[in-house]
């Protein structure tokens, strides 16, 4: 299925191209420039069509300068009549061989259809059957070289990507993520202040659903405090937007975990949908509210992690057997088991594990 990636500064193109899914076999994925690091794999997809907004030149220029050499897909610039009059755009389109075309959104949508007939459903010239053997041999050589290079990149990635370390008032966190082959994937983010910490862990089966979560979470991030009502409203609005999206029903499933910790009292509140697991010092936590004592560890294991071999029972057992070790050592043990059991170069599913630990000398309000 063709991926159409729509990038803009503040979602100004969010709904402009969704109707393409009604006319073509494609998935329209929309996100903002500042979310690009989360979706770098889409930028590198040589089959993707990237529709990039030029409505704000400085934002476009910052994004394009940073990611230009990473983009392998087809680049088409999108703007209105006024923005295309800019001399900078004239120079860019004249000199930049990576730019394949432009779309003026002031024009009627039917004038864009010939473009998308070409870009989304390109016509392939017929190949003489006498050349097929030679083409097949060439493809086999290219694929063999690509697989070898992919293996090298994967090994370098595993060596260079560090374990993430974070500190909050009275608490520290260590986390690790490994990419899998399934679509959509997992991501998490942590917001903290002097009084509270908020963790969001999400898993989707569609890149479009992932972009919806990111957009909604950006709005939530602007709040200075996170009440139960705000998080309840976030989840309700998110589910409604996913339900009303054009994502196929089997791709709408979304696993969400919110953990909010009162850093003064070390009391945690949990909102969970999906099959992720929470443990405190090896004990499974099913309650929606619980406290964490000094020196205790709170383990968060994503649903994607638990669906990988060697399976949920074995991975939870590994955590419980090593609970007295350091956070890094526990993560090393778990991800070693995942790596040992994988059947290909990558895991079957994205895997995320986060370990929070209350400082032994933390001041806890009673």
């Amino acid at each position: 299925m063709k991926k159409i990636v729509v990038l803009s500064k503040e979602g100004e193109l969010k709904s402009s191209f969704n109707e393409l899914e009604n006319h073509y076999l494609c998935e329209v994925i929309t996100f903002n420039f500042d979310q690009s690091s989360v979706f770098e794999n889409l930028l590198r997809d040589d089959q993707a069509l990237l529709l990039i907004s030029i409505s704000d030149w400085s934002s476009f220029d910052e994004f394009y300068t940073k990611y230009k050499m990473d983009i392998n897909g087809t680049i088409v610039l999108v703007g209105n009549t006024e923005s295309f009059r800019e001399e900078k755009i004239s120079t860019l389109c004249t000199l930049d061989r990576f730019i394949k075309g432009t779309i003026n959104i002031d024009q009627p949508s039917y004038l864009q259809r010939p473009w998308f007939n070409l870009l989304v459903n390109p016509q392939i010239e017929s190949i003489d059957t006498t050349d097929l053997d030679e083409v097949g041999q060439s493809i086999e050589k290219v694929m063999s070289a690509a697989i070898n290079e992919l293996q090298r990149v994967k090994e370098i990635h595993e060596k260079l990507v560090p374990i993430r370390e974070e500190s909050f008032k009275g608490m520290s966190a260590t986390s690790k993520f490994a990419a899998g082959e399934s679509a959509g994937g997992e991501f998490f983010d942590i917001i903290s202040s002097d009084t509270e910490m908020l963790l969001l862990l999400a898993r989707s089966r569609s890149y479009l659903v992932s972009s919806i979560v990111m957009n909604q979470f950006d709005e939530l991030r602007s709040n200075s405090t996170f009440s139960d009502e705000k998080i309840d409203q976030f989840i309700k609005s998110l589910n409604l937007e996913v339900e009303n999206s054009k994502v196929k029903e089997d791709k709408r499933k979304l696993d969400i975990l919110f953990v909010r910790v009162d850093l003064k009292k070390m009391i945690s509140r949990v909102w969970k949908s999906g099959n992720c697991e929470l443990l405190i010092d090896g004990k499974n936590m099913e309650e929606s509210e619980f406290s964490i004592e000094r020196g205790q560890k709170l383990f968060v294991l994503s649903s994607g992690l638990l669906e990988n071999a060697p399976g949920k029972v074995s991975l939870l057992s590994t955590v419980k057997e090593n609970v007295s070790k350091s956070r890094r050592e526990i993560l090393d043990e778990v991800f070693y088991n995942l790596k040992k059991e994988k059947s290909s170069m990558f895991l079957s599913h994205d895997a995320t594990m986060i370990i929070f630990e209350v400082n032994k000398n933390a001041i806890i309000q009673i």
Side-chain angles (χ1 to χ4, degrees):
M1 178 182 290
K2 189 78 171 182
K3 294 184 177 67
I4 301 177
V5 184
V6 183
L7 303 100
S8 51
K9 182 187 178 185
E10 295 178 347
E12 62 267 20
L13 297 181
K14 187 172 183 180
S15 60
S16 301
F17 298 98
N18 285 337
E19 67 173 17
L20 292 174
E21 293 182 345
N22 297 330
H23 303 292
Y24 303 98
L25 187 62
C26 67
E27 181 181 15
V28 179
I29 305 147
T30 304
F31 57 93
N32 298 352
F33 289 138
D34 58 8
Q35 298 168 342
S36 301
S37 60
V38 179
F39 298 103
E40 286 184 355
N41 54 334
L42 285 175
L43 302 181
R44 296 191 178 97
D45 189 340
D46 60 2
Q47 296 300 311
L49 168 61
L50 280 72
L51 306 180
I52 308 178
S53 172
I54 59 169
S55 63
D56 186 297
W57 171 262
S58 60
S59 298
F60 161 77
D61 188 48
E62 181 181 358
F63 161 81
Y64 193 58
T65 301
K66 181 176 180 180
Y67 290 102
K68 174 180 177 180
M69 301 311 296
D70 294 326
I71 296 175
N72 294 320
T74 302
I75 300 174
V76 176
L77 303 182
V78 180
N80 58 22
T81 303
E82 187 66 29
S83 60
F84 279 121
R85 291 197 181 105
E86 293 284 341
E87 184 177 349
K88 298 170 184 176
I89 299 299
S90 172
T91 303
L92 181 67
C93 292
T94 302
L95 300 178
D96 194 322
R97 61 187 178 87
F98 295 104
I99 306 297
K100 301 304 182 186
T102 60
I103 292 175
N104 186 338
I105 57 176
D106 284 344
Q107 295 178 340
S109 60
Y110 66 82
L111 292 179
Q112 302 168 13
R113 291 297 295 276
W115 246 127
F116 290 108
N117 289 335
L118 174 65
L119 295 170
V120 182
N121 292 328
Q123 300 297 312
I124 302 175
E125 296 182 2
S126 61
I127 301 175
D128 193 321
T129 54
T130 58
D131 295 332
L132 288 179
D133 288 341
E134 183 178 344
V135 171
Q137 292 174 11
S138 298
I139 291 175
E140 187 175 348
K141 291 179 182 178
V142 171
M143 288 298 296
S144 178
I147 290 172
N148 289 336
E149 286 300 308
L150 186 60
Q151 177 63 34
R152 289 179 56 199
V153 170
K154 180 66 175 175
E155 291 173 354
I156 292 171
H157 172 79
E158 290 180 349
K159 291 178 181 178
L160 295 182
V161 174
I163 289 177
R164 181 170 161 180
E165 297 272 8
E166 296 178 79
S167 295
F168 319 104
K169 187 174 182 180
M171 175 183 281
S172 301
T174 307
S175 59
K176 190 167 184 177
F177 168 84
E181 295 177 338
S182 56
E186 292 184 347
F187 61 89
F188 75 93
D189 204 350
I190 298 174
I191 305 173
S192 66
S193 66
D194 288 339
T195 58
E196 60 185 345
M197 182 278 298
L198 182 67
L199 162 71
L200 165 66
L201 172 61
R203 180 191 181 196
S204 76
R205 280 74 177 171
S206 161
Y207 289 114
L208 176 58
V209 174
S210 293
S211 69
I212 291 173
V213 178
M214 291 294 294
N215 287 333
Q216 291 267 15
F217 193 62
D218 281 345
E219 295 179 14
L220 185 66
R221 183 192 293 275
S222 62
N223 292 283
S224 56
T225 59
F226 306 99
S227 63
D228 290 1
E229 291 75 18
K230 286 180 181 177
I231 297 177
D232 288 337
Q233 183 59 43
F234 172 91
I235 296 172
K236 181 179 179 180
S237 299
L238 179 60
N239 288 331
L240 183 61
E241 185 170 356
V242 172
E243 188 66 27
N244 291 334
S245 71
K246 295 182 180 179
V247 179
K248 293 182 179 179
E249 189 171 351
D250 62 335
K251 298 291 185 181
R252 292 179 188 172
K253 185 178 180 184
L254 179 62
D255 297 350
I256 285 284
L257 172 70
F258 270 109
V259 179
R260 190 185 71 222
V261 179
D262 182 329
L263 296 175
K264 292 182 177 179
K265 299 181 179 180
M266 289 301 167
I267 295 176
S268 300
R269 178 88 165 84
V270 176
W271 292 256
K272 185 176 81 164
S273 65
N275 299 317
C276 63
E277 290 285 341
L278 280 75
L279 301 87
I280 289 187
D281 281 358
K283 178 184 176 183
N284 293 69
M285 298 302 300
E286 300 295 339
E287 295 86 354
S288 61
E289 187 170 297
F290 54 85
S291 60
I292 317 174
E293 304 298 329
R294 295 183 185 89
Q296 285 190 325
K297 298 185 182 77
L298 170 63
F299 299 87
V300 179
L301 288 76
S302 71
S303 57
L305 181 145
L306 296 172
E307 287 184 20
N308 284 293
K312 177 177 177 178
V313 173
S314 177
L315 292 169
L316 289 176
S317 177
T318 300
V319 172
K320 294 174 182 179
E321 290 170 0
N322 294 277
V323 71
S324 62
K325 295 183 178 179
S326 70
R327 301 190 300 274
R328 277 179 169 265
E329 289 173 328
I330 298 169
L331 289 173
D332 286 341
E333 287 286 345
V334 170
F335 280 85
Y336 170 76
N337 286 338
L338 290 174
K339 182 177 180 181
K340 183 175 62 175
E341 296 289 337
K342 66 182 181 181
S343 56
S344 64
M345 288 185 293
F346 302 98
L347 299 178
S348 299
H349 308 280
D350 283 5
T352 306
M353 183 170 173
I354 311 163
I355 306 176
F356 297 94
E357 185 173 8
V358 179
N359 301 342
K360 292 181 179 179
N361 297 321
I363 299 174
I364 301 177
Q365 181 179 322
I366 301 175

